[in-house]
C-alpha cells in the first residue's frame, strides 16, 4: 500500500515479524538510550541518471534490518555521511508530536552541502518522520522524560573508489525509544577538559552534523570517562582557549545578573536546534542572551568570583543538563557538591513543557505526527 505525507507517496511494506506487545512493553519499561529500535525504517533513494540529472525516488517504509552495501560504497571509504537527531513526544491525550522538525531538515541540508551530498526536499524529511512514527506509534513511550528518539541519516551508497561526490545516496530514518540520556535523577555532571584534542578546525566540518566529527571526539570522550567525567569539553587552542562545545552538546553560562552567555557560532560549532530554542525560551523569560567568545580563563575566574552562577549543556538527547565540575589533571573548576541551578532548571522545565504539550507552544514549534 502507499501513504501520502507532505505530498510525497511512501510505499509501505510492513514487517511480518514485529515485536509482540509483551516484548515491546518489556523494552519500554527500561528503554535506555539507543539500545533498542522499532520495527520499521523510512527510506528514500537518490540517483544521478546517464544525463547527469539527480533525483529522489522510491520513498518507502520497510522492516528494520541490515543495510546491504557494496564493499566499495563511498561512505565506507570517504565518510560521505550526515545525520540528525530529534524526538517524538507522547502528550497526555495520547497524541504524538515532534519538536521543530523543519529546523532539523534545514540543518541536514546545510550538512549535505558541506559534505557534497544532495539536498533533501523538506517534504521528504517531514514525510519520512511522519510515516515512520505512524507505523511504529506504539513504540512511543509515555514515562517522565521519555521519548522516541528519531535518527535521520544520509549515506553515500555508490560502488566507486574514485575520489568524487557519490552519485547514489540513501536517506533513512530509524527510531529508538529513549529514557534519560545520563540515566536516573538529573544531577550536575562532571566535564573533562580536552587539552590535546580538537573537535574541529576552521574551514572544516565543525558546523556540519557528520559522523567524522563524532569519530574524532571519541578518544577525548574515552579520556573523560577514564577520569570519571560524563562528557568532554573542546577548546579552540589557537584562540585563547575559547570554549567551543562538548562532545555532543552546546554550552551555556548563567551570569549573576541572570543573563546568559553561549559561545558564538564560528564555523567550528554545531548550530544546535536545542541551543537556538534555549536562546528563545530565555528571551521569552525576559533574560538577555549574548552569543560571544568566552574563554576557559573567563569560566575559571567567573566561577571563582561568582560572576558565573550556573553552567549547563544542552542537546536533543539530554535536553538540558547542569554542569557541576570542569576539570583535567591540573584544573578543578566548580564544585562536586553543586546543585542544579534555578535558572537552568527553569529553562529546562519551560522547554520540556513545550515539547510535551504541558506549556503553550507560542512559536509554532510542535508538529503533530499521530
Amino acid at each position: 500500500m502507499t501513504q501520502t505525507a507532505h505530498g510525497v507517496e511512501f510505499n509501505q511494506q510492513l514487517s511480518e515479524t514485529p515485536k509482540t506487545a509483551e516484548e515491546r512493553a518489556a523494552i519500554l519499561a527500561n528503554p535506555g538510550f539507543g539500545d533498542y529500535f522499532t520495527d520499521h525504517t523510512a527510506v528514500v533513494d537518490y540517483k544521478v541518471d546517464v544525463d547527469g540529472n539527480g533525483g529522489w525516488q522510491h520513498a518507502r517504509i520497510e522492516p528494520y534490518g541490515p543495510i546491504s552495501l557494496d564493499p566499495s560504497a563511498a561512505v565506507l571509504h570517504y565518510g560521505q555521511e550526515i545525520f540528525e537527531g530529534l524526538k517524538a513526544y507522547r502528550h497526555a491525550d495520547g497524541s504524538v508530536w515532534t519538536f521543530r522538525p523543519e529546523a532539523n531538515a534545514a540543518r541536514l541540508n546545510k550538512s549535505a552541502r558541506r559534505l557534497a551530498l544532495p539536498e533533501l526536499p523538506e517534504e521528504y524529511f517531514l514525510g519520512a518522520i511522519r510515516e515512520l512514527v505512524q507505523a511504529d506509534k506504539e513504540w512511543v513511550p509515555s514515562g517522565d522524560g521519555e521519548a522516541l528518539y528519531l535518527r535521520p541519516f544520509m549515506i553515500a551508497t555508490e560502488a566507486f573508489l574514485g575520489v568524487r561526490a557519490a552519485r547514489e545516496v540513501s536517506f533513512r530514518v530509524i527510531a529508538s525509544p529513549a529514557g534519560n540520556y545520563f540515566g536516573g535523577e538529573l544531577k550536575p555532571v562532571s566535564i573533562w577538559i580536552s587539552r590535546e584534542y580538537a573537535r574541529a578546525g576552521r574551514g572544516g566540518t565543525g558546523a556540519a552534523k557528520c559522523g567524522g566529527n563524532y569519530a574524532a571526539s571519541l578518544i577525548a570522550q574515552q579520556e573523560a570517562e577514564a577520569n570519571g567525567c560524563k562528557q568532554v569539553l573542546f577548546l579552540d587552542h589557537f584562540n585563547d582557549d575559547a570554549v567551543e562545545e562538548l562532545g555532543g552538546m552546546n554550552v551555556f553560562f548563567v551570569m549573576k545578573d541572570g543573563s546568559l552567555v553561549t559561545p558564538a557560532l564560528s564555523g567550528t560549532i554545531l548550530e544546535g536546534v536545542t541551543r537556538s530554542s534555549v536562546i528563545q525560551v530565555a528571551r521569552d523569560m525576559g533574560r538577555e542572551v549574548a552569543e560571544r567568545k568566552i574563554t576557559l580563563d573567563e569560566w575559571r575566574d567567573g566561577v571563582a568570583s561568582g560572576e558565573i552562577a550556573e553552567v549547563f549543556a544542552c542537546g536533543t538527547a539530554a535536553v538540558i543538563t547542569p554542569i557541576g565540575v570542569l576539570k583535567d589533571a591540573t584544573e578543578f573548576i566548580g564544585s562536586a557538591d553543586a546543585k542544579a541551578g534555578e535558572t537552568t532548571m527553569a529553562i529546562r522545565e519551560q522547554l520540556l513543557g513545550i515539547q510535551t504539550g504541558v506549556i503553550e507552544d507560542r512559536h509554532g514549534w510542535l508538529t503533530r505526527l499521530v
Side-chain angles (χ1 to χ4, degrees), residues 26-38 64 83-89 139 141 144-152 174-184 209 214 225 230-231 247-249 274 314-321 348 352 355:
I27 291 171
L28 294 181
N30 185 23
F33 188 90
D35 295 324
Y36 305 97
F37 298 92
T38 66
Y64 180 93
F83 67 97
E84 276 299 320
L86 64 165
K87 288 179 175 178
Y89 301 86
W139 282 91
D144 184 35
E146 296 179 343
L148 184 67
Y149 182 79
L150 304 171
R151 170 54 59 86
I174 56 177
S176 174
N180 189 309
Y181 186 72
F182 289 118
K209 195 169 179 66
Y214 292 80
E225 292 171 356
K230 292 288 190 180
Q231 271 281 341
M249 293 180 281
T274 306
C314 70
T316 298
V319 187
I320 289 178
T321 299
R348 185 177 191 274
L352 276 173
Q355 292 172 337

Side-chain angles (χ1 to χ4, degrees), residues 201-277:
R202 297 190 183 280
T205 59
K209 195 169 179 66
C210 61
N213 292 343
Y214 292 80
S217 75
L218 295 180
I219 189 170
Q221 179 66 30
Q222 287 179 329
E223 188 177 73
E225 292 171 356
N227 286 276
C229 293
K230 292 288 190 180
Q231 271 281 341
V232 60
L233 171 73
F234 290 103
L235 305 170
D236 184 344
H237 300 300
F238 301 99
N239 186 24
D240 304 321
D241 278 345
V243 174
E244 296 253 282
E245 63 176 275
L246 304 187
M249 293 180 281
N250 297 113
V251 184
F252 278 84
F253 300 85
V254 181
M255 314 308 282
K256 70 177 182 181
D257 64 1
S259 65
L260 273 67
V261 174
T262 192
L265 301 175
S266 59
T268 58
I269 296 173
L270 184 68
E271 186 177 358
V273 175
T274 306
R275 175 188 181 276
S276 65
S277 304

Side-chain angles (χ1 to χ4, degrees), residues 135-186:
D136 288 336
K137 57 183 179 292
E138 300 302 327
W139 282 91
V140 183
S142 57
D144 184 35
E146 296 179 343
L148 184 67
Y149 182 79
L150 304 171
R151 170 54 59 86
F153 63 101
M154 188 186 296
I155 59 174
T157 55
E158 184 183 6
F160 178 73
L161 291 181
V163 183
R164 61 158 170 76
R167 295 170 182 165
E168 294 179 13
V169 171
S170 180
F171 170 74
R172 295 170 177 260
V173 185
I174 56 177
S176 174
N180 189 309
Y181 186 72
F182 289 118
E185 180 185 350
L186 184 69

